[in-house]
Amino acid sequence: MADEQVAGAQSDAPDILVRVKAVDKVFKRGSEEVHVLGGLDLEIPRGEFLALMGPSGSGKSTLLNLIGGLDRPTEGQVEVGGQRIDKLSNRKLASWRARHVGLVFQFYNLMPVLTAQKNVELPLLLTPLSRSERKTHAVNALDIVGLANRNKHYPRQLSGGEQQRVGIARAIATDPTLLLCDEPTGDLDRKAGDEILDLLQALNREQGKTIIMVTHDIHAAARATRTLYLNKGQLTSEPIE
Amino acid sequence: MLNWIAQIISVTRFNLLSLPQRLGSSTAAVFGIAGVVAVMVAVLSIAQGIMKTMDNSVDEDRVIVLRSGANTEMMSGLSGEDTDLVAEAPGLVRDEDGVLASPELFVVINLPMRGTGTDANVPMRGVQPQAFKIRDDFQIVQGRMFEPGLNEVIVGSGALREFEGLEVGSTIEVAREYWPVVGVFESGGSLAETEIWVDAAVLQQAYRRGNSFQAVYARLTSSDAFQQFKDALTADPRLNVKPMRESEYYSSQSSTVTGLINGLGTLIAVIMGLGAIFGALNTMYTAVASRSREIATLRALGFRSSPVVISVLAESLLLAFVGGAIGAGLAWLFFDGYRAATLNWESFSQIAFSFAVTPQLLMLGIFFAMFIGLLGGLLPAIRAARQPVATALREL
């Protein structure tokens, strides 16, 4: 059993993309303070496909949110691509997310009133791209996930697997530094889940995308290049009994 | 900046596109606001109608002279000699029959109102032939003019509409006598149309007024001649009178009743508006709650808080605008031109008028609706924008 410090010690190479140092996150439940991540350290090399596993409430999603700039640590530092994101203002953090992070959600989180293509174009609205450039990027992203022919369909006209593909297309449309996937197969059957995992694997292997995936599914985690287990604020490379 | 505007447009577009998903609560808010605006505009249109009637009564070339200290004709009293001196003042029009100055009496009689049957104070005016020359928009529209010296009356079209027993051929009780109605007149929609007119000498005799009057109406050679006319009267030691332009007089006449109605209308609007604000709040909280996944997702993708706030407010304002437009439209459809009468607190007599839903009132109604929408949308918008992204995503 190796703890997180061991995992971090092995990653002292200059191509470290994510560096989490002594991070803690405190949530308040009434008058009680709950420490979810007790001074956690983590380093993720560029181009890694990392699976984060652990029981419910272990802090997997919290860690993912901290790395993705969706939340701030109570203590410690979060550095992505050499930038301290925990120090950024809300406004700068939003801009940073738009530029550097692609998010894939368990329940896809597509806009029901927009077509697949328009959903993919959403994060591109935050870039200086022209309308035609946005369209080109969106069509390319849909092509990568194999849905170029369904670009005019609304989410309700797509299967769960197809919706998640649109979600992935939206996440990669801006060519982000990091792809953060929170239970991307959690709402899908095995076949559709496998297709999504194939896609994520291809994005990691062929396009060199750095992917952090939170999952409960051991089969999904097996597709990653590294799996870490989180329990009671401790990261290990072996599952805790 | 362009990027920020693009964000606002996009997020607002999603909001509006998803409106059909919240049709029930949105419709309830729209009609709640419509009701408030309809009532507010309808009530305020009463005051507008009264003011319009007063405005119709005004001619900048006409003046009224009352006894000094009197604010209304009811409170005034002038002797025949006083009225002769007034007619001799400079600045008045003269024609072949003499000076256009009309000494007049003003009394009130009781007549039942149409519809309710309750007694109302109806103004009755004793006039001389010059009165018709001074009011150049006067015309008999039914029947004929009264014969000077006879107990005959003519009635204004507004009085005929609002009070019972004023049809041509009927009789009314005046000073324990029954006088026939021989004609109906109009006077450009002015206050005079609420009155009953009779020969001044007949009215003086019936009310034992001797040779006294209450006011002198007169026509100036021009509006600019007023100061000369006024100076001459106030400088004359034999007179103790107060000359006024008609606009000044009618403005003072309508101030109490229009102030009361405007105050009442505003109070009603504020009370109902509070209810509508809570309705709008509820609607927008529901809208924000039902879109919490979308809002959280947008913010997670990198959309800033301000476009979210503005988009929620835009939806709220749009609903309020639609509600305001419907309410104002309903008020205009059902109340504009609606005829009624009310008590003029200055003269203690009735004024017949038509509700006037003016363009200004319509705009006011829509602005008030949007104010409700703004307040109703603000808190939910701020809540949507302030909630931490991670927390919002967890709550999905």
Side-chain angles (χ1 to χ4, degrees), chain B residues 86-140:
Chain B
V86 169
E88 288 170 9
L92 299 182
V93 175
R94 291 172 187 277
D95 68 3
E96 62 279 8
D97 297 322
V99 182
L100 293 194
S102 166
E104 299 179 2
L105 276 89
F106 185 90
V107 299
V108 292
I109 63 168
N110 277 333
L111 284 175
M113 293 193 78
R114 284 190 195 276
T116 63
T118 51
D119 273 353
N121 289 341
V122 182
M124 176 176 262
R125 185 176 295 278
V127 296
Q128 297 179 348
Q130 295 293 56
F132 309 109
K133 291 185 177 178
I134 289 166
R135 298 170 177 88
D136 48 11
D137 47 10
F138 175 92
Q139 59 175 333
I140 295 285

Side-chain angles (χ1 to χ4, degrees), chain B residues 24-39:
Chain B
S25 63
S26 301
T27 306
V30 163
F31 281 98
I33 292 170
V36 172
V37 170
V39 170

Side-chain angles (χ1 to χ4, degrees), chain B residues 109-246:
Chain B
I109 63 168
N110 277 333
L111 284 175
M113 293 193 78
R114 284 190 195 276
T116 63
T118 51
D119 273 353
N121 289 341
V122 182
M124 176 176 262
R125 185 176 295 278
V127 296
Q128 297 179 348
Q130 295 293 56
F132 309 109
K133 291 185 177 178
I134 289 166
R135 298 170 177 88
D136 48 11
D137 47 10
F138 175 92
Q139 59 175 333
I140 295 285
V141 293
Q142 195 183 333
R144 60 172 175 81
M145 174 59 72
F146 60 76
E147 286 290 337
L150 295 184
N151 295 348
E152 293 178 345
V153 301
I154 55 173
V155 300
S157 55
L160 173 65
R161 196 171 57 236
E162 297 298 331
F163 309 112
E164 290 178 5
L166 292 182
E167 295 77 13
V168 173
S170 56
T171 55
I172 58 171
E173 186 181 351
V174 182
R176 296 180 185 173
E177 291 179 21
Y178 289 91
W179 295 3
V181 177
V182 297
V184 177
F185 69 89
E186 285 181 354
S187 183
S190 72
L191 198 58
E193 291 183 1
T194 314
E195 298 174 346
I196 298 169
W197 283 14
V198 62
D199 182 15
V202 170
L203 195 60
Q204 280 175 330
Q205 192 174 2
Y207 278 78
R208 297 176 183 171
R209 293 284 177 90
N211 187 30
S212 70
F213 298 87
Q214 276 150 298
V216 177
Y217 284 78
R219 179 169 286 282
L220 297 167
T221 51
S222 76
S223 177
D224 297 336
F226 176 72
Q227 197 56 46
Q228 180 192 19
F229 173 73
K230 183 179 178 182
D231 291 345
L233 294 186
T234 50
D236 191 331
R238 296 168 294 176
L239 286 172
N240 187 21
V241 295
K242 180 165 76 173
M244 286 179 282
R245 288 185 189 273
E246 263 195 345

Side-chain angles (χ1 to χ4, degrees), chain A residues 157-173:
Chain A
Q157 297 168 316
L158 301 172
S159 68
E162 287 172 329
Q163 288 186 56
Q164 192 58 296
R165 282 165 180 269
V166 174
I168 292 171
R170 181 179 65 188
I172 62 172

